[in-house]
Amino acid sequence: MSVLDNNTIPNDNEINNLGVGERIRILRTAQNRTLQEVADSCGLSKSMISKVENNKAVPSVAALVKIAQTLGTNISQLLEQDGWDKAIVTTRKEAENKLVKTEKGYMIFPYASEFHEKKMQPFLFVARKGEVIPHQLSHEGEEFVYVIEGSMKMQVAETEYILKTGDSLYFNAMQKHGILPISESVTYLDIFV
């Protein structure tokens, strides 16, 4: 039986073992909100919210930010695992092995998901030419992008930037932005504040 099957709010230990989708469902149901209400507030479809809650889709980071804001929390609270660890080490191999593909076609890994109440959320992104669905999005906060390997086009508002290995970009995330790989594959660090 799942923690969610008994219609009670799980305790901290149970929440620590839940995935992002299950945490979103718990917050939504605890607030007596319907899938449609959350979808309308986020600008997403009801079916997308349902897929996320049922772990059938991995939302883009921007979508996750909007869902978190709608539910009165932040992205770190949705991603955190254990809560109070003070130093988190992640090897490159661990991060690469845990990449998950989003509905927009790129792969992500959230660093330090077990660190409680982070002030920033770093992500490892891998985008492959021909797999990323062109899109632009905006959300609250600021972003710092650092290209680890490869090259990409990054559009922020009306300006297009070409970023190559070692290049970085810092911008206000309220401006519409999006990326497209130029090289066959681009790996980059994206830190949301």
Side-chain angles (χ1 to χ4, degrees):
M1 179 189 316
S2 163
V3 170
L4 300 175
D5 292 339
N6 61 15
N7 289 327
T8 61
I9 295 176
N11 64 39
D12 288 342
N13 288 334
E14 292 169 325
I15 287 176
N16 288 338
N17 295 320
L18 297 177
V20 172
E22 293 166 311
R23 291 174 188 205
I24 290 169
R25 184 179 321 138
I26 287 168
L27 285 170
R28 179 182 60 76
T29 56
Q31 295 172 15
N32 293 320
R33 297 175 79 179
T34 66
L35 285 168
Q36 191 64 58
E37 288 171 334
V38 172
D40 291 345
S41 295
C42 297
L44 300 169
S45 70
K46 177 181 171 182
S47 75
M48 181 60 181
I49 299 294
S50 177
K51 287 177 186 174
V52 168
E53 285 188 1
N54 291 298
N55 298 312
K56 295 189 186 309
V58 177
S60 67
V61 174
L64 199 54
V65 168
K66 289 177 182 179
I67 292 168
Q69 289 171 341
T70 295
L71 295 173
T73 189
N74 61 50
I75 192 169
S76 294
Q77 294 292 340
L78 292 178
L79 295 173
E80 289 171 359
Q81 296 294 320
D82 295 322
W84 299 104
D85 293 335
K86 295 299 178 197
I88 311 301
V89 175
T90 306
T91 66
R92 181 176 181 163
K93 185 175 182 177
E94 287 172 319
E96 289 172 348
N97 287 337
K98 293 181 180 179
L99 285 164
V100 177
K101 195 165 193 173
T102 71
E103 88 278 7
K104 297 297 185 190
Y106 50 80
M107 294 179 286
I108 63 171
F109 168 75
Y111 284 104
S113 60
E114 57 274 5
F115 194 93
H116 191 65
E117 296 183 7
K118 290 188 286 303
K119 304 294 184 253
M120 63 179 163
Q121 179 58 62
F123 284 91
L124 176 66
F125 279 77
V126 176
R128 294 191 176 108
K129 193 182 259 186
E131 292 183 17
V132 174
I133 299 168
H135 64 285
Q136 288 200 337
L137 44 92
S138 64
H139 51 86
E140 287 188 21
E142 299 172 354
E143 282 188 51
F144 172 76
V145 173
Y146 176 81
V147 180
I148 297 168
E149 186 173 58
S151 59
M152 65 185 193
K153 282 193 276 188
M154 176 116 202
Q155 181 147 355
V156 178
E158 302 301 318
T159 306
E160 186 175 276
Y161 302 92
I162 304 297
L163 301 176
K164 299 176 183 169
T165 301
D167 293 345
S168 67
L169 182 65
Y170 192 101
F171 60 95
N172 180 332
M174 288 297 290
Q175 298 176 54
K176 287 216 176 263
H177 56 281
I179 75 110
L180 282 175
I182 295 173
S183 56
E184 286 304 310
S185 179
V186 62
T187 302
Y188 60 100
L189 178 67
D190 196 340
I191 301 174
F192 294 75
V193 180

